[in-house]
Amino acid sequence: MFNYLRKRFTSHITERSRRRARLVSKDGRCNIEFGNVEEQSRFVFLIDIWTTILDLRWRYKMTIFISAFLGSWFLFGLLWYVVAYIHKDLPEFNPSINHTPCVENINGLTSAFLFSLETQVTIGYGFRCVTEQCVTAIFLLIFQSILGVIINSFMCGAILAKISRSKKRAKTITFSKNAVISKRGGKLCLLIRVANLRKSLLIGSHIYGKLLKTTITPEGETIILDQVNIEFVVDAGNENLFFISPLTIYHVIDKNSPFFHMAAETILQQDFELVVFLDGTVEATSATCQVRTSYIPEEVLWGYRFAPIVSKTKEGKYRVDFQNFSKTVAVETPHCAFCLYNEKEAKAKEKKGYDNPGFVMSEVSETSDTKM
């Protein structure tokens, strides 16, 4: 019993570690790490600060958002305090009754911070205000107002752009959990189901795939993550899809397919990752969108097809049952593509007739006379 549990635990850990070794996760995130990047290359990310801010996660973006406003308010609060200190407007200097301060009612660092906040966000309570006594205070007011507009525009624009990114539209496009291999139209095909969870369409949708595997060139060079194009087809064509209901895309396993030499018994022993891409334009925003997912050998089921998902109600409406979206049904399937094509060639040869041009038919005359 103990050996059985240990064996199951070891196989579970091995399978789990193998499932993690994938370039693209099921939700489309890329599992890649960059190492030994030069410092000069890191500086490029600061030059392209807009894209860097957009690519940050929400927790880092909100930290930068809050720090930018609080930091600017506090920095200018210190400058206003310095102006008041140099002009001797603070109560600790005991200014005379006829003394006109640069900024009215700044009594310390706290009041200077509040005036900085009111100035940058254009609140203007009217209790604290700049006088015409100091040219420095006037220029500082103008500089803070302009810088405040820039900070507001950049940070609010970054938040709005983050929310409206087409990447979020990809969350409402889903792929089937597994890919299946079965016969379709008399050909052995690899099939994947994809669905649009929104009623709005993706305009100009295009589906294609990449097979990632490790290959060794004839020169002995080992190429990790070598990419092989995988063409997917839909019955209505793979360009400008009418993507209102779930579609089943398929790849024909012919002699040019990298799956041609695989079989039902050996596919689990293969080391590959099939990455599927769906590109399109969001109908509401006209922004381009890309959805990705991947399949490893354990997620490719040989000898199965997808269960029906679309039905028609009595009221004449079309109903999509997503409970059967990833459900598969076992069907009779050749255990390899090579065997299917050999079987077709054998049947074709049986139906064909061959003429022998050297064959000449001669008639033999029968005689009724018999010699005794």
Side-chain angles (χ1 to χ4, degrees):
M1 183 66 181
F2 177 75
N3 293 333
Y4 173 76
L5 294 176
R6 185 177 63 180
K7 184 178 180 180
R8 288 294 302 273
F9 178 76
T10 304
S11 61
H12 175 72
I13 294 298
T14 303
E15 181 180 359
R16 187 175 180 181
S17 62
R18 185 174 182 181
R19 286 177 178 270
R20 288 181 178 178
R22 60 200 310 164
L23 179 65
V24 180
S25 62
K26 298 296 288 184
D27 57 356
R29 290 178 297 177
C30 295
N31 181 26
I32 190 169
E33 179 181 347
F34 297 100
N36 299 325
V37 180
E38 298 180 358
E39 295 296 331
Q40 295 179 354
S41 300
R42 295 180 184 273
F43 183 72
V44 177
F45 291 95
L46 296 179
I47 297 177
D48 188 15
I49 187 65
W50 177 253
T51 306
T52 302
I53 293 294
L54 289 183
D55 289 339
L56 289 177
R57 295 186 178 182
W58 274 108
R59 54 178 176 267
Y60 302 123
K61 184 183 291 293
M62 294 307 300
T63 301
I64 295 176
F65 182 86
I66 296 172
S67 301
F69 284 102
L70 289 179
S72 61
W73 296 339
F74 184 73
L75 176 62
F76 280 100
L78 289 177
L79 294 178
W80 288 115
Y81 179 80
V82 170
V83 170
Y85 185 86
I86 294 176
H87 198 253
K88 297 183 180 181
D89 298 335
L90 301 176
E92 57 197 54
F93 293 105
N94 297 320
S96 62
I97 299 175
N98 298 327
H99 179 77
T100 303
C102 291
V103 182
E104 296 284 353
N105 299 310
I106 287 187
N107 303 318
L109 186 59
T110 303
S111 58
F113 174 79
L114 292 176
F115 178 72
S116 173
L117 171 63
E118 296 168 12
T119 300
Q120 190 163 328
V121 299
T122 65
I123 295 177
Y125 289 122
F127 182 69
R128 301 179 183 88
C129 61
V130 177
T131 65
E132 56 186 20
Q133 184 69 24
C134 297
V135 179
T136 305
I138 296 175
F139 278 105
L140 183 60
L141 177 65
I142 295 174
F143 181 71
Q144 183 177 5
S145 300
I146 296 175
L147 186 62
V149 172
I150 296 175
I151 294 176
N152 289 338
S153 302
F154 185 86
M155 298 309 302
C156 294
I159 295 295
L160 181 61
K162 181 76 171 179
I163 295 175
S164 60
R165 290 185 77 179
S166 57
K167 186 177 180 181
K168 300 302 179 183
R169 178 63 174 91
K171 301 296 182 181
T172 54
I173 305 295
T174 180
F175 289 88
S176 57
K177 182 180 179 181
N178 297 303
V180 298
I181 295 179
S182 60
K183 292 177 65 176
R184 187 183 182 93
K187 300 178 181 179
L188 191 64
C189 300
L190 182 142
L191 300 97
I192 297 173
R193 179 173 278 174
V194 58
N196 180 14
L197 301 181
R198 289 186 179 273
K199 292 184 179 180
S200 59
L201 299 179
L202 283 179
I203 304 173
S205 300
H206 175 60
I207 298 177
Y208 58 97
K210 300 285 185 181
L211 187 69
L212 308 179
K213 60 180 182 178
T214 301
T215 59
I216 300 177
T217 63
E219 294 77 17
E221 179 185 2
T222 301
I223 302 177
I224 300 177
L225 297 179
D226 184 25
Q227 301 183 15
V228 180
N229 290 327
I230 301 295
E231 294 184 0
F232 282 97
V233 184
V234 184
D235 290 334
N238 59 346
E239 296 286 348
N240 300 323
L241 303 178
F242 185 49
F243 198 13
I244 193 63
S245 63
L247 298 175
T248 301
I249 62 176
Y250 60 93
H251 165 69
V252 179
I253 304 178
D254 54 13
K255 296 182 179 180
N256 297 323
S257 172
F259 295 95
F260 184 76
H261 298 286
M262 299 183 189
E265 298 83 3
T266 61
I267 189 169
L268 295 179
Q269 303 172 5
Q270 303 293 326
D271 184 16
F272 66 85
E273 180 178 353
L274 175 62
V275 184
V276 183
F277 302 86
L278 171 63
D279 295 340
T281 303
V282 181
E283 187 178 24
T285 62
S286 298
T288 57
C289 170
Q290 184 181 85
V291 193
R292 299 181 295 267
T293 191
S294 68
Y295 299 92
I296 56 178
E298 289 81 1
E299 297 169 346
V300 179
L301 306 180
W302 195 296
Y304 289 83
R305 63 174 174 83
F306 291 110
I309 190 175
V310 180
S311 60
K312 193 173 183 179
T313 62
K314 296 180 179 180
E315 294 80 11
K317 295 183 178 180
Y318 293 94
R319 183 175 183 272
V320 179
D321 186 8
F322 280 96
Q323 186 177 2
N324 295 336
F325 180 71
S326 295
K327 187 177 180 181
T328 57
V329 179
V331 292
E332 183 179 355
T333 306
H335 74 284
C336 67
F338 188 74
C339 298
L340 176 63
Y341 283 95
N342 283 347
E343 180 182 352
K344 286 185 176 181
E345 290 179 0
K347 290 182 179 180
K349 288 180 179 180
E350 290 179 358
K351 296 180 180 180
K352 289 182 179 180
Y354 296 93
D355 294 331
N356 186 359
F359 178 77
V360 178
M361 182 177 180
S362 60
E363 295 182 359
V364 179
S365 59
E366 296 182 357
T367 57
S368 58
D369 296 337
T370 304
K371 293 182 180 182
M372 295 299 292

